[in-house]
Amino acid sequence: MREIILIRHAKSSWKDISLDDFSRPLNKRGEKDAPFMAKKLKSLIQTPDLIISSPSLRTKLTLKSFLDEFKYKKDVVFEKNIYEAPLENLLDVLKNIENKHNTIFFIGHNPGFNLLADYLLGGFTENIPTSGILKMSLDINSWSELKEDCASLEFFIYPKMF
């Protein structure tokens, strides 16, 4: 069985208005929430086979907490097509994953992640807040088989729940 864990980046800072969106760091809340949510996720699942992340600064800083908590030492794929991506781009990235990988961490942004969850689950109306995490089990044999309504939601967690 294939599994995808969507992880939305932690809360970013707007303090320095000279920075472009891609270069924004985490704010204080994001710096607190990312390691907290990494620890929560670690209590629920094992280490992933592969991590694919947007290359923006806020996703890289969020990713660091998950790398540390899971003691993940394998390669991380930084995929520019996740940043500000429409649903089609996200699906293309996922459909090209090698089949040797079963459990994927996918770290990125809204609104794309909400669109992806809605598509894969055949309906998802909640907003994925910053540091929100969805685990979905996929009823597919190969990543290339991804299609609408091929997933079931295992859990949806976010900082304000705790």
Side-chain angles (χ1 to χ4, degrees):
M1 174 172 293
R2 311 279 178 201
E3 299 175 319
I4 183 166
I5 294 88
L6 294 183
I7 302 169
R8 186 172 171 207
H9 65 78
K11 190 80 171 156
S12 60
S13 174
W14 290 88
K15 189 175 184 179
D16 184 350
I17 59 171
S18 70
L19 293 175
D20 65 0
D21 182 69
F22 190 84
S23 302
R24 287 188 293 119
L26 299 180
N27 68 11
K28 296 281 188 226
R29 189 173 103 200
E31 290 171 353
K32 184 183 87 170
D33 285 351
F36 175 80
M37 292 305 293
K39 189 176 292 292
K40 287 291 183 190
L41 185 59
K42 178 67 173 155
S43 74
L44 296 170
I45 66 168
Q46 299 298 310
T47 302
D49 301 318
L50 177 66
I51 296 177
I52 304 172
S53 177
S54 163
S56 74
L57 180 58
R58 62 191 178 273
T59 53
K60 285 182 174 180
L61 293 171
T62 301
L63 167 65
K64 183 179 181 329
S65 293
F66 289 86
L67 295 176
D68 292 348
E69 186 64 37
F70 281 83
K71 297 179 180 23
Y72 186 86
K73 302 293 184 202
K74 301 175 196 171
D75 289 335
V76 174
V77 176
F78 290 102
E79 177 56 63
K80 67 181 188 303
N81 286 326
I82 298 173
Y83 178 73
E84 293 188 340
L87 174 61
E88 294 77 20
N89 288 25
L90 298 175
L91 289 171
D92 284 345
V93 170
L94 292 171
K95 286 180 178 183
N96 284 298
I97 294 172
E98 292 181 57
N99 285 322
K100 67 181 180 180
H101 304 296
N102 291 312
T103 301
I104 308 301
F105 280 11
F106 204 45
I107 304 176
H109 313 268
N110 263 351
F113 272 21
N114 261 94
L115 295 171
L116 180 62
D118 184 57
Y119 178 83
L120 294 176
L121 293 168
F124 184 79
T125 58
E126 296 193 53
N127 178 55
I128 304 168
T130 52
S131 297
I133 301 171
L134 274 82
K135 180 183 180 213
M136 295 178 280
S137 295
L138 305 169
D139 188 20
I140 57 172
N141 294 313
S142 166
W143 288 102
S144 63
E145 297 174 2
L146 272 179
K147 61 185 183 293
E148 190 170 9
D149 198 17
C150 70
S152 57
L153 182 63
E154 297 292 320
F155 59 77
F156 172 37
I157 58 174
Y158 49 92
K160 288 188 178 179
M161 294 176 77
F162 303 100

